[in-house]
Amino acid sequence: MADSTFAASIVKKEPNDAPEAKSDADLEAQKIGTEAADVSSPLLEPDEHQHFSQRAPWLRAGVLGANDGLVSVASLMIGVGGGSSALHIMILAGLAGLVGGALSMAVGEYISVASQKDAEQADIEKEKQMQAKGPAARQHELEELAAIYENRGLSKTLAKQVAIEFTEKDVIRAHARDELGIDIDDLANPLQACVASAFAFCIGAGIPLLAASFITNHAMRIMSLVLATTAALSAFGSLGAWLGGANLFKGAARVILGGWIALGITYGIGRGFGAGYQV
């Protein structure tokens, strides 16, 4: 009740002000705005174009995680294979890389996202404390919100009116969304990020491990590892490019090139260090 009275006192007219007559254009604009606000209106047609930036961010992150697991374990296995022809050593290196990499991704992602969630909740709590400080603080926050809308292109009068209406509806949600860029209904989820990262890494890491684990001939094992890794790199690169609306060939080519460089360097290092040892 206090907030409503406070908001009403901001927009009320001076005693000598007379209500302005609306022109036909103003009435038509108001009508159009009302129809646009009603999402169930038959005049509102579905959006025919798709925004690439809105395509499941978690899916793009999953592709990157799988690619990370693929390149990491494939490079580790081919590096070991460059220094030793023993099948069990390559398998052991691949398994160690898969488990260690997945756990590292999971822990790192959990810590990162948990820290982000803590910061979001702290900012939301700070906004609640500002609203609880009294009318002067609420007035300041209202003006701050109106300034945000004005900077986005609204007129000063309309910006203040929008700020007042959002404040009356849910002041914390309005400030979290428009001032802090936080969606209260979609806060960061550390556990979800942790599990998704580890799972995606395991998918990518399992490809080179499976490709080389059942081939006894050393040369054929290395060839199988390279071919399987290249095919997976192409698939991950193309999928990532498609999700981002980029050229599929370019997306696949740059991922393949990066993977080949990693494989070549680690194989060369393993070959060089392994030459002086009988493993």
Side-chain angles (χ1 to χ4, degrees):
M1 183 65 183
D3 288 342
S4 300
T5 305
F6 164 68
S9 66
I10 297 175
V11 296
K12 69 179 182 179
K13 296 180 177 296
E14 296 296 330
N16 294 332
D17 289 345
E20 297 180 358
K22 292 186 177 180
S23 64
D24 292 340
D26 292 334
L27 293 174
E28 183 64 22
Q30 183 179 0
K31 178 182 177 183
I32 294 174
T34 303
E35 292 173 345
D38 183 7
V39 295
S40 63
S41 171
L43 298 178
L44 186 64
E45 297 180 357
D47 193 358
E48 295 180 356
H49 66 283
Q50 188 175 26
H51 298 284
F52 296 110
S53 61
Q54 297 175 353
R55 280 180 171 174
W58 62 267
L59 184 57
R60 292 198 300 272
V63 172
L64 293 176
N67 189 76
D68 190 10
L70 171 67
V71 175
S72 298
V73 173
S75 298
L76 180 61
M77 291 182 69
I78 203 170
V80 172
S84 171
S85 61
L87 174 60
H88 70 281
I89 294 180
M90 283 189 67
I91 295 176
L92 181 60
L95 284 173
L98 186 152
V99 175
L103 292 176
S104 176
M105 288 283 289
V107 172
E109 196 70 15
Y110 184 89
I111 293 173
S112 174
V113 177
S115 298
Q116 177 188 344
K117 185 175 182 179
D118 290 342
E120 291 175 345
Q121 291 177 330
D123 283 337
I124 293 172
E125 182 61 30
K126 187 175 181 180
E127 287 298 327
K128 291 179 180 179
Q129 293 173 359
M130 288 297 296
Q131 292 297 321
K133 286 184 177 180
R138 289 197 293 271
Q139 169 68 24
H140 174 76
E141 290 294 300
L142 179 67
E143 293 175 354
E144 189 177 58
L145 195 61
I148 292 173
Y149 300 139
E150 188 175 353
N151 290 335
R152 292 178 182 177
L154 296 182
S155 66
K156 188 176 184 65
T157 303
L158 182 57
K160 178 162 286 190
Q161 182 180 351
V162 171
I164 290 171
E165 292 192 12
F166 278 146
T167 296
E168 290 178 343
K169 184 176 182 181
D170 192 331
V171 61
I172 302 301
R173 189 180 300 273
H175 279 275
R177 180 187 61 243
D178 296 322
E179 181 183 350
L180 305 173
I182 298 173
D183 184 354
I184 294 181
D185 296 324
D186 190 25
L187 294 178
N189 189 328
L191 183 60
Q192 183 184 56
C194 163
V195 173
S197 296
F199 182 71
F201 188 94
C202 288
I203 290 177
I207 295 173
L209 188 59
L210 292 174
S213 293
F214 304 100
I215 302 176
T216 55
N217 182 273
H218 181 253
M220 292 298 295
R221 191 188 315 140
I222 296 296
M223 182 63 67
S224 174
L225 177 62
V226 172
L227 291 177
T229 301
T230 301
L233 287 170
S234 176
F236 291 154
S238 298
L239 180 57
W242 177 75
L243 290 172
N247 182 277
L248 298 185
F249 177 78
K250 288 183 178 180
R254 61 176 170 243
V255 173
I256 291 174
L257 179 60
W260 280 354
I261 292 174
L263 293 177
I265 291 175
T266 52
Y267 180 80
I269 292 175
R271 187 78 172 174
F273 277 91
Y277 297 92
Q278 296 295 328
V279 182

